[in-house]
Amino acid sequence: MNGGGTRSVEASPDRAVAALRHRDFRLLWAGQLVSDVGSHMQEVALAYQLYLLTDSPLQLGLLGLVRFTPVLLLALVGGAVADRFDRRRVLLVTQGFLGLSSAALALATQADFISAGLIYGITFISSIAWSFDEPAREALVPQLVPYNHLPQATTMSVLAHEVGAVAGPALGGVSIAVLGLSTSYW
């Protein structure tokens, strides 16, 4: 500690990947990367499928609203849950639920049971899960790495999110073109 009462963070020589030396953080980071890529793939598939079903750009805008509303309304609740309950369990529940949502979309698409209403409903419920997932994930990171590796862990988490935001839509488009919509959800 310095005289001002705040802790300083010293950079280690291998600071870019120092956080990945910690097994639990490495597992969380890899899971986050896969989840972010998959979520962004799903967003492309949802938008494409909704447009195929409705032929309406307005419906695409409404999909964004349906995705955003639960996050707006539940962000503080999600943070409180992350503070009150075991964050790992919260992540297991939310990620499991998000996986089931993808499976439901895949099965509904394969069975030709998909509709705009079902897409909106699953998107809304998935966004509720994300409202709890993100705060729990972010609050878990400081428990997995020592304080001096926290900046690197934060940077790696942001990197996983950004890679997902770029690679996910690209992979989603390729997946839809090559394998079809239902496979993209899987």
Side-chain angles (χ1 to χ4, degrees):
M1 288 216 189
N2 64 19
T6 60
R7 295 189 286 185
S8 64
V9 177
E10 289 186 32
S12 61
D14 59 342
R15 68 183 192 189
V17 293
L20 292 177
R21 289 183 178 168
H22 307 282
R23 178 188 172 274
D24 289 343
F25 176 75
R26 199 170 48 244
L27 291 171
L28 177 69
W29 184 80
Q32 177 184 359
L33 182 62
V34 169
S35 180
D36 282 345
V37 168
S39 294
H40 287 288
M41 286 178 70
Q42 183 183 69
E43 287 176 15
V44 168
L46 284 169
Y48 178 69
Q49 190 167 37
L50 183 62
Y51 190 76
L52 288 176
L53 289 170
T54 66
D55 197 30
S56 169
L58 176 62
Q59 297 295 323
L60 297 177
L62 291 175
L63 183 64
L65 181 64
V66 167
R67 182 178 291 121
F68 175 70
T69 301
V71 175
L72 177 68
L73 297 175
L74 296 173
L76 295 176
V77 175
V81 168
D83 288 341
R84 174 125 165 76
F85 296 100
D86 180 4
R87 294 164 183 152
R88 292 173 197 223
R89 290 186 196 271
V90 172
L91 286 175
L92 286 172
V93 169
T94 57
Q95 287 295 306
F97 187 78
L98 291 167
L100 289 175
S101 296
S102 290
L105 288 165
L107 291 172
T109 299
Q110 285 175 329
D112 201 27
F113 182 70
I114 198 75
S115 67
L118 187 60
I119 288 173
Y120 286 132
I122 290 175
T123 298
F124 186 80
I125 292 168
S126 293
S127 292
I128 291 171
W130 274 113
S131 299
F132 293 89
D133 185 90
E134 287 293 322
R137 181 190 324 272
E138 291 177 19
L140 184 59
V141 171
Q143 294 177 335
L144 303 179
V145 297
Y147 182 77
N148 63 325
H149 290 165
L150 190 54
Q152 293 81 19
T154 301
T155 300
M156 293 301 294
S157 293
V158 170
L159 176 65
H161 179 71
E162 294 302 319
V163 167
V166 173
L171 290 172
V174 170
S175 177
I176 291 167
V178 173
L179 304 171
L181 272 164
S182 61
T183 304
S184 296
Y185 290 129
W186 285 117

